Amino acid sequence: VAIASALPGVVAETWLCWQEPEKTDMARHWATALDAAKDADVLVPRRESARFAATYPIEQVHSETYGNLYLDAVARTHCDALPPLDWHFGPFAFRARHSDLWTRFGGP
């Protein structure tokens, strides 16, 4: 994050995106996802439930679905307005102006 946010041309509004290398198909979705989130500061893509269930082992579907519900419940104790998140999907993006929050966090 520190390197990406210091690149020439990166300004506070620049999106910094992360994804796992094996999620190669995500690259073609970033432009559409970021355009839809133009007024946001953070983007957490969400998998379509039916496609997720059809393409992953059932144990992983159950585990991650339960994990998402649990983490949503925990997060709502701090922020009532938080929409449901796909915490286990992986890819996410945030505006470069938040880089310091990412790099300064030392853990709980």
Side-chain angles (χ1 to χ4, degrees):
V1 170
I3 293 170
S5 61
L7 290 171
V10 172
V11 296
E13 294 301 307
T14 300
W15 283 104
L16 301 179
C17 304
W18 185 87
Q19 69 184 60
E20 299 93 337
E22 70 273 12
K23 292 196 169 110
T24 56
D25 193 47
M26 187 63 201
R28 71 184 181 96
H29 298 287
W30 277 120
T32 303
L34 295 173
D35 187 51
K38 61 184 163 215
D39 295 328
D41 283 345
V42 177
L43 170 67
V44 181
R46 183 173 197 82
R47 295 171 283 196
E48 182 182 274
S49 295
R51 185 171 294 180
F52 175 44
T55 57
Y56 282 81
I58 192 66
E59 297 83 2
Q60 185 173 355
V61 172
H62 288 305
S63 172
E64 292 187 16
T65 300
Y66 174 77
N68 286 338
L69 291 170
Y70 174 76
L71 290 170
D72 281 344
V74 171
R76 284 199 190 94
T77 65
H78 300 283
C79 177
D80 290 337
L82 189 70
L85 296 177
D86 193 347
W87 297 87
H88 297 282
F89 181 39
F92 66 93
F94 58 88
R95 302 283 185 175
R97 70 170 161 263
H98 300 299
S99 296
D100 65 315
L101 297 173
W102 186 268
T103 56
R104 281 188 302 141
F105 184 68

